[in-house]
Amino acid sequence: MLQTVAAFDRLGEENAFAVLARATALAQQGKDIINLGIGQPDFRTPPHIVEAAVKALRDGHHGYTPANGILPLREAVARRTLSTTGVEVSPERIMILPGGKPTMYAAIIMFGEPGVDILYPDPGFPIYRSMIEYTGAAPVPVPMREANGFAFSAEETLSLITPRTRLLILNSPANPTGGVTGRSEIEKLVKGLERHPEVAILSDEIYDVMTYDGERHASLLGFPEIAERLIVLNGWSKTWAMTGWRMGGWRMGWSIWPNSAAGAHLYDKVRKLAVNCWSCVNAPTQYAGIAAIDGPQDAVAEMMRAFDRRRSAVVEGLNALPGVSCVTPKGAFYAFPNVEATGWKAKPLAAALLDDAGVALIGGPDFGILGEGYVRVSYANSEANIEKALRRMREFLGRHS
Ligand code: PLP
């Protein structure tokens, strides 16, 4: 019993939420805060998606649904997967969950235990390491290097695999760096993984359509040779600006799991976890999810055009700041500038920028040991606010470098 409770002491946090709380408290005291800290689109969920949820409620869809999600929604995800990856996936392998994080949770508790290694990106989404430590497995960071555009290096990743490795977590396009791993590197990685059939893969593809400059996301789904040990995480939160759809507790996500004897029936295992933990995602949100996938995509395209304009403004503005240099991110809506030459450590700099300049961003160490020397700038804010934040940062660094 004590052992189990102690495991909770190993859980980490996602500091973006602490920064959001501090920024909100400062704003309530009358301070003018520009929030470049939180990772959520500043766009409204498109109206036809909201209407679909309201209609579902009016039509009486307020009971339990199957734990793995309603069939029309899983069919919609299958259609969307085909159109974005060219891969046909049966709805019998698609799991609807209350957000992206529950897939992470399920996959990591399935493979993590004392005595095994789990590889995860560093800097990377903080929950990977937190959940790995919760299980008692050893977290092994895979370095995401600035010189490599914060992409995975197949060679370096493969060199970290040992007989203890049970799970490899990949994320492209990536949080917090905006790094995108190109197809040729993924091909090399998959080729190498064929030598390690005991290693399962969790590919977090939640930013899949958020790429720039003609860069195309290469899904791990495109490699049938690893299909039986591949879990692909995706969801609605970012693409359709639905981060706050928390009516049923958490927001909604989907993931694709092996559903065969060779794939250890992982799909059935995660479905059973759902039955035990949350029963199902709330019904109206599932109908909204169908409308998101099948409805017009012009709002998504408009959002991505806005992100692209902001990305240019952010990268140019950051590179013009004293002591700051920023590689151009190829995906998601984050920039990860190097701030080492300002003379500041990353977390004190982020804290001082919030308190003195009213600009909220996140210190790189909140995303891993290798995040020191960097800060994460989320450009999910208006161009006017981004310009204002950059002016404030320039002024602050002029005073304090
Ligand atoms: N994966 C990555 C890489 C993320 O950045 C996030 C959210 O910030 C998630 C998963 C979690 O998604 P959700 O909010 O739908 O749980």
Side-chain angles (χ1 to χ4, degrees):
M1 176 63 181
L2 256 179
Q3 176 78 19
T4 316
V5 174
F8 281 78
D9 293 334
R10 297 197 295 270
L11 279 173
E13 296 270 359
E14 192 181 344
N15 204 32
F17 285 97
V19 172
L20 180 63
R22 172 107 186 105
T24 307
L26 288 170
Q28 277 163 356
Q29 290 162 22
K31 270 201 104 174
D32 177 21
I33 304 293
I34 302 170
N35 197 338
L36 305 183
I38 195 77
Q40 66 176 338
D42 54 317
F43 294 86
R44 297 181 73 140
T45 302
H48 69 277
I49 301 177
V50 177
E51 282 313 311
V54 172
K55 181 173 182 308
L57 275 176
R58 290 214 173 99
D59 289 350
H61 294 293
H62 25 68
Y64 288 128
T65 77
N68 54 344
I70 57 175
L71 182 60
L73 179 58
R74 288 184 287 118
E75 286 170 343
V77 171
R79 281 194 294 280
R80 198 257 187 191
T81 305
L82 181 62
S83 80
T84 53
T85 67
V87 179
E88 225 165 300
V89 174
S90 155
E92 299 309 310
R93 291 178 55 205
I94 294 166
M95 180 75 198
I96 306 298
L97 306 99
K101 278 178 181 170
T103 292
M104 231 173 261
Y105 168 76
I108 294 170
I109 62 165
M110 273 182 200
F111 292 96
E113 61 178 325
V116 311
D117 288 356
I118 298 185
L119 271 54
Y120 71 102
D122 182 344
F125 191 55
I127 302 305
Y128 304 141
R129 183 181 175 110
S130 165
M131 280 307 309
I132 296 166
E133 291 194 320
Y134 170 78
T135 66
V140 178
V142 180
M144 298 293 111
R145 300 189 188 279
E146 182 182 0
N148 196 26
F150 297 112
F152 278 82
S153 147
E155 195 183 333
E156 191 165 17
T157 307
L158 292 165
S159 75
L160 294 167
I161 295 178
T162 72
R164 287 187 310 279
T165 310
R166 290 289 172 281
L167 181 67
L168 163 64
I169 303 177
L170 302 170
N171 174 220
S172 172
N175 179 6
T177 61
V180 172
T181 306
R183 182 162 187 96
S184 63
E185 207 59 25
I186 302 258
E187 275 169 10
K188 269 195 244 164
L189 183 62
V190 170
K191 188 120 212 67
L193 283 171
E194 284 182 63
R195 293 196 306 274
H196 303 286
E198 71 292 350
V199 177
I201 303 129
L202 168 63
S203 182
D204 182 343
E205 304 187 2
I206 201 154
Y207 296 100
D208 62 351
V209 293
M210 298 191 156
T211 54
Y212 308 99
D213 300 334
E215 183 81 34
R216 270 188 58 94
H217 164 67
S219 174
L220 271 284
L221 278 174
F223 299 89
E225 53 274 50
I226 53 166
E228 299 297 356
R229 49 190 167 118
L230 173 68
I231 300 155
V232 177
L233 180 160
N234 212 321
W236 283 261
S237 300
K238 317 285 175 173
T239 309
W240 292 282
M242 293 176 74
T243 47
W245 283 65
R246 293 171 168 273
M247 293 181 286
W250 299 332
R251 52 203 147 182
M252 187 166 63
W254 77 77
S255 43
I256 299 168
W257 300 73
N259 192 10
S260 62
H265 291 294
L266 293 186
Y267 186 80
D268 206 45
K269 292 181 170 63
V270 71
R271 188 197 55 73
K272 269 200 283 191
L273 184 70
V275 171
N276 280 270
C277 288
W278 58 81
S279 296
C280 62
V281 171
N282 74 84
T285 297
Q286 295 194 50
Y287 286 90
I290 299 174
I293 289 177
D294 287 347
Q297 301 297 311
D298 36 339
V300 180
E302 180 47 47
M303 180 172 79
M304 287 310 296
R305 279 193 291 274
F307 279 149
D308 201 4
R309 285 194 301 274
R310 296 167 184 186
R311 181 179 69 119
S312 305
V314 160
V315 171
E316 198 185 311
L318 287 169
N319 277 314
L321 296 180
V324 178
S325 63
C326 183
V327 299
T328 303
K330 290 186 185 164
F333 42 78
Y334 309 109
F336 205 61
N338 186 324
V339 294
E340 239 166 332
T342 62
W344 283 80
K345 288 277 182 205
K347 282 188 66 126
L349 176 62
L353 277 169
L354 179 55
D355 288 334
D356 289 18
V359 177
L361 28 81
I362 315 285
D366 284 330
F367 301 98
I369 302 147
L370 298 173
E372 184 54 87
Y374 300 88
V375 293
R376 186 187 80 173
V377 179
S378 160
Y379 46 90
N381 207 322
S382 68
E383 275 168 88
N385 276 344
I386 288 169
E387 294 299 341
K388 198 155 121 190
L390 287 164
R391 270 201 305 279
R392 289 184 186 182
M393 288 165 76
R394 164 175 294 283
E395 205 261 325
F396 174 90
L397 288 170
R399 276 190 286 125
H400 294 285
S401 281

